[in-house]
Amino acid sequence: MSATQSDLVCGLAEGSRIKVVGLGGIGCAVLQYLAVFLKSLDRPLRLVLIDGDQFEMANGRRMVFQSVGNKAEVKAAETAAWLGDCEVAVAAVPRYLTVENVGQLVRPGDHVFLCVDNHPTRKLLSDHCSTLADVALFSGGNEGVDPPRERGTYGNVQVYLRRGGRDLTVPLTRFHPEIANPRGKLPTEASCVELALSTPQILFTNLAVASALLNAFFAYACGRLHYQEVKLDVLEARMLPQLPLPAAELPQPLTAPE
């Protein structure tokens, strides 16, 4: 093994909490390979799945699931069965993030994958994380198919890290006015008709965003993350890091939460 390869050692501490918010097209793909990775570490970890939505048969076009029902509960049962007897504990929270519960569901010391498809939830969680002393937030999303304005092939990933009560990277809202001043509503505020209306997405864009999220998490866990955002386009075969982090400021993984 080369020196470069041997340097890529995951520093994720025993007892770390990893939370996946949103089990849609991106979240399901993230979870599948995140579970494989966490099991391979062979250390006590806690994996928490958070989503208030339901799987329906129509979701099978872009998502892999074994039964209909609450997304968090369905995927937690599938993941726990696949993990078997190992040190990764899996829990389901069948709720959407809200102003009232975000402080209970995302706590200091958490590692959070935010895989939702609405900007109000992104702003809610980014603003909440800005109040925490220590947190690692990985947020990913992609445009829908809405010709001629959007062809559905673009996506991005943002990383928001805080240590000791200060920002190591910028909040999700800093350079994204669509998140800072979001249109639309939180899922708990939307009507049934509004929830039923969704812009079609491309499966392979979902997969590219999920991969970029996991890449960022792996780089961070190895103490080698050198960017704050990634922009990608699957049609153009393009994935570009944005907002570089100086080598002297490469963030290290969080220590085990209390």
Side-chain angles (χ1 to χ4, degrees), residues 16-228:
S16 291
R17 295 188 299 264
I18 301 93
K19 298 181 175 179
V20 180
V21 180
L23 280 304
I26 295 173
C28 282
V30 164
L31 175 61
Q32 179 178 353
Y33 295 100
L34 176 64
V36 174
F37 176 67
L38 296 180
K39 183 176 183 178
S40 74
L41 298 178
D42 196 27
R43 66 192 66 164
L45 300 167
R46 184 168 177 80
L47 177 60
V48 181
L49 311 183
I50 303 171
D51 199 324
D53 199 7
Q54 303 286 312
F55 280 126
E56 300 176 358
M57 294 309 298
N59 298 139
R61 299 187 188 99
R62 291 187 299 112
M63 309 168 200
V64 178
F65 54 93
Q66 301 303 314
S67 61
V68 297
N70 173 264
K71 290 181 176 180
E73 294 177 334
V74 168
K75 295 307 292 186
E78 291 177 8
T79 303
W82 180 84
L83 287 170
D85 184 16
C86 78
E87 297 196 84
V88 180
V90 184
V93 179
R95 289 186 282 170
Y96 291 111
L97 285 186
T98 66
V99 174
E100 292 75 24
N101 68 24
V102 67
Q104 299 173 322
L105 299 183
V106 177
R107 296 184 287 157
D110 283 350
H111 301 81
V112 185
F113 287 87
L114 182 59
C115 306
V116 299
D117 60 1
N118 71 92
H119 292 321
T121 301
R122 293 186 179 103
K123 175 175 169 55
L124 171 65
L125 189 51
S126 180
D127 289 350
H128 171 64
C129 287
S130 72
T131 70
L132 303 180
D134 302 282
V135 72
L137 174 61
F138 303 84
S139 176
N142 56 272
E143 65 182 10
V145 181
D146 188 18
R149 187 172 61 92
E150 296 177 346
R151 65 187 183 191
T153 64
Y154 169 82
N156 79 317
V157 164
Q158 295 173 265
V159 182
Y160 182 28
L161 305 175
R162 283 178 61 82
R163 294 290 186 279
R166 72 180 186 92
D167 288 346
L168 298 187
T169 64
V170 300
L172 306 188
T173 54
R174 179 68 58 84
F175 299 117
H176 287 269
E178 74 279 8
I179 300 177
N181 301 288
R183 297 180 179 180
K185 304 173 183 178
L186 292 169
T188 50
E189 300 170 340
S191 68
C192 293
V193 173
E194 290 171 317
L195 288 174
L197 295 174
S198 60
T199 304
Q201 295 184 349
I202 295 175
L203 168 63
F204 301 118
T205 312
N206 288 164
L207 292 174
V209 173
S211 179
L213 277 166
L214 292 166
N215 292 345
F217 178 70
F218 178 67
Y220 153 84
C222 295
R224 300 285 290 274
L225 182 69
H226 60 82
Y227 53 85
Q228 303 180 50

